[in-house]
Amino acid sequence: MRDVRREASVLHLDLDAFFAAVEQRDKPSLRGRPVVVGGTGGRGVVATASYEARVYGVRSAMSTREARSRCPHAAFLSGRFSAYREASRAVMGALREASPLVEPLSLDEAFVDLAASPDPTLADLSVESVTAFAERLRARVTEVTDGLTCSVGVATSKFMAKVASDLDKPDGLVVVAPGTERELLRPMSVTVIPGVGPATADRLRRAGVQTVADLEQVSQEELVRLVGSAHGAGLFHLARAHDDRPVVAVRETKSVSVEGTYDSDLSDLRLMEHLLVRQSGEVAARLAKAGLSGRTVTIKVRLHDFTTTSRSATLPEPTDNPAVVARVVRSLLAELAAGVETGPALRAGVRLLGVGVSGLADWVQDDLFADLEAPDESAGTDGEADDLPEPPRARSTGWAPGADVVHDEHGRGWVWGSGRGVVTVRFETRESPAGPVRSFPVDDPALHLWQRPEDEPTDDPGAPATRAGGLSAPG
DNA sequence: TCTGGGGTCCTAGGACCC
DNA sequence: TCTGGGGTCCTAGGACCC
């Protein structure tokens, strides 16, 4: 493994109290006053507190209720994300002018690789050069954002640059001279190391480790024993300021999800299904917009006591189809509802529901229906699938895993996979909505195609209209 | 009436294959 | 026939980050 860069060429930039600062910039009446941006509902938490609010002990991730009791006269705002995205775009643009190698970590944070900068003043990466450059960059950020300030750290690694940007907040700059990293780090708490949160800090504390200096005394084997192999090896190296991770400009998305916490607990399974199906539509829309599709669908359920459980299923092919996602989501919810422990737990109260899709491919599946006739428009647009009119048709090609509903004498099921002349069907039965899987020859006359008209509940005017069975025929 | 929402990464166990 | 190993995929849960 390479050790560390010899020059301080990694810059970390962090916008100060970002959401709150945008609000104060845009609303002069809020300037100089405590501002809290975050969830304003009964179960909201603070996303950002302005420095005026921090004086009263208001912090990120604190419940809004707690923040209100600490600072009742603050302005509590739910946030204007389009404004934050706009400001973030301006900042990232300014950073890319400085160097093509910019790695955004979130709307308000990024790494910049100064070694990749074409700027002639950075021909040598001396402490003096990078300091002057960083000051100009900070001024430029304030200029393009119409007044926002930022804190910047520059060092030989991502880890040290991030530590440095935290040392002189707000509106500060710290450059760590190469070679001085370890003495800077030693007196600090182990919690400065990224990845050391409450649980890891607690384990280390019980082993007598509280500072980075303490951590340096522990062997790699011991650390692996304490916190696992990946984490242990990471801690061993970071304790010594050994970090050669590159600045990476583009990172691929691994999952897309939507979740929501409700002000009061849910106990009605039909309502849960309705909400999950709506979230399925949102997830699918975001996948489609990003040109992504994924194979694994996960539902997440947080119970009234905050215990969290999830169920997932992996499809044979990636999808971005809302009807497909919704169908899997329904069967996963049914699986939880049928569980001897999870079923009663669900009915006892659910505070959060979520839907996610992972196992992403950066291509969209071919439209399997391009050569099919349009679906029969008379084939029912209301009611339950049980009410569908009769005229199923057999089909020999173009089965859509996850999308098509079929039935045979065993009951109703949906296509789970197809290929080599065989269609695999996962049946829904009264006893087991995610029921048995059977295979059929594609031309099996016992196998009839159904189109299910109600993937979005009809009593929801806000729900997007979807084609029956997810078919994408024109017209 | 404590505890958001969007993510990433890791672990551990089981299935299955060679 | 028995034993063992490695590799990959999948699932569930947990820790962490901004």
Side-chain angles (χ1 to χ4, degrees), chain A residues 93-425:
Chain A
L95 300 185
R96 290 189 185 100
E97 286 169 15
S99 168
L101 204 38
V102 173
E103 179 177 338
L105 299 177
S106 62
L107 287 180
D108 68 338
E109 255 187 68
F111 286 114
V112 182
D113 191 336
L114 300 182
S117 173
D119 192 302
T121 70
L122 285 175
D124 87 275
L125 289 163
S126 65
V127 169
E128 294 71 29
S129 304
V130 299
T131 301
F133 185 85
E135 283 297 9
R136 290 199 300 277
L137 188 60
R138 287 188 344 104
R140 178 71 180 145
V141 165
T142 300
E143 186 186 334
V144 302
T145 57
D146 208 8
L148 300 187
T149 63
C150 60
S151 298
V152 166
V154 186
T156 51
S157 68
K158 284 182 160 182
F159 170 39
M160 290 309 303
K162 191 156 162 58
V163 167
S165 71
D166 232 19
L167 291 178
D168 189 22
K169 278 188 174 180
D171 201 16
L173 168 66
V174 173
V175 179
V176 180
T180 65
E181 295 85 0
R182 294 181 71 170
E183 61 183 283
L184 179 67
L185 230 37
R186 277 196 189 102
M188 294 183 171
S189 160
V190 289
T191 55
V192 300
I193 298 174
V196 178
T200 305
D202 210 55
R203 284 194 198 181
L204 292 173
R205 191 183 45 73
R206 281 196 286 254
V209 174
Q210 283 182 282
T211 65
V212 177
D214 297 336
L215 189 58
E216 274 185 277
Q217 304 302 313
V218 186
S219 71
Q220 186 164 351
E221 296 69 37
E222 177 69 0
L223 286 176
V224 166
R225 197 185 61 74
L226 277 171
V227 301
S229 69
H231 207 172
L235 282 184
F236 182 82
H237 288 109
L238 290 180
R240 288 155 181 75
H242 290 175
D243 174 22
D244 65 354
R245 292 170 298 165
V247 177
V248 179
V250 278
R251 296 166 79 180
E252 59 181 328
T253 303
K254 302 281 175 60
S255 66
V256 173
S257 64
V258 168
E259 63 185 52
T261 295
Y262 306 99
D263 273 344
S264 56
D265 291 347
L266 313 171
S267 53
D268 179 346
L269 276 168
R270 290 201 43 202
L271 178 55
M272 294 181 211
E273 180 179 290
H274 171 99
L275 294 166
L276 283 166
V277 166
R278 188 157 70 186
Q279 290 175 329
S280 301
E282 294 168 22
V283 168
R286 283 177 38 201
L287 284 171
K289 193 174 174 192
L292 296 169
S293 57
R295 289 181 56 214
T296 302
V297 177
T298 303
I299 65 170
K300 175 174 168 182
V301 176
R302 179 120 74 206
L303 303 173
H304 64 292
D305 66 356
F306 218 71
T307 58
T308 304
T309 162
S310 66
R311 287 294 180 276
S312 64
T314 298
L315 294 162
E317 303 290 343
T319 186
D320 64 353
N321 183 327
V324 176
V325 178
R327 197 179 317 285
V328 178
V329 157
R330 276 201 202 86
S331 98
L332 292 170
L333 177 66
E335 198 178 310
L336 275 183
V340 290
E341 279 166 22
T342 52
L346 238 51
R347 279 165 274 258
V350 164
R351 60 179 288 141
L352 170 147
L353 291 172
V355 173
V357 174
S358 56
L360 300 186
D362 60 357
W363 45 274
V364 181
Q365 192 183 0
D366 285 344
D367 185 352
L368 294 169
F369 306 101
D371 58 346
L372 294 178
E373 72 232 63
D376 183 352
E377 293 296 339
S378 70
T381 54
D382 61 347
E384 299 293 324
D386 296 308
D387 302 327
L388 283 174
E390 199 49 42
R393 50 207 164 96
R395 197 170 70 183
S396 60
T397 59
W399 293 101
D404 283 341
V405 175
V406 301
H407 81 145
D408 75 343
E409 71 276 14
H410 301 295
R412 188 170 80 239
W414 42 289
V415 175
W416 189 254
S418 69
R420 294 195 193 81
V422 169
V423 178
T424 310
V425 177

Side-chain angles (χ1 to χ4, degrees), chain A residues 3-55:
Chain A
D3 197 0
V4 288
R5 299 165 185 83
R6 290 206 316 282
E7 291 113 353
S9 59
V10 180
L11 181 148
H12 179 258
L13 180 139
D14 196 344
L15 292 155
D16 299 319
F18 179 49
F19 297 169
V22 172
E23 298 303 333
Q24 290 176 319
R25 178 195 68 182
D26 295 348
K27 297 172 194 155
S29 65
L30 295 177
R31 293 179 196 164
R33 284 187 53 200
V35 172
V36 177
V37 178
T40 50
R43 285 169 165 172
V45 300
V46 174
T48 311
S50 72
Y51 280 87
E52 296 87 349
R54 293 183 198 188
V55 170

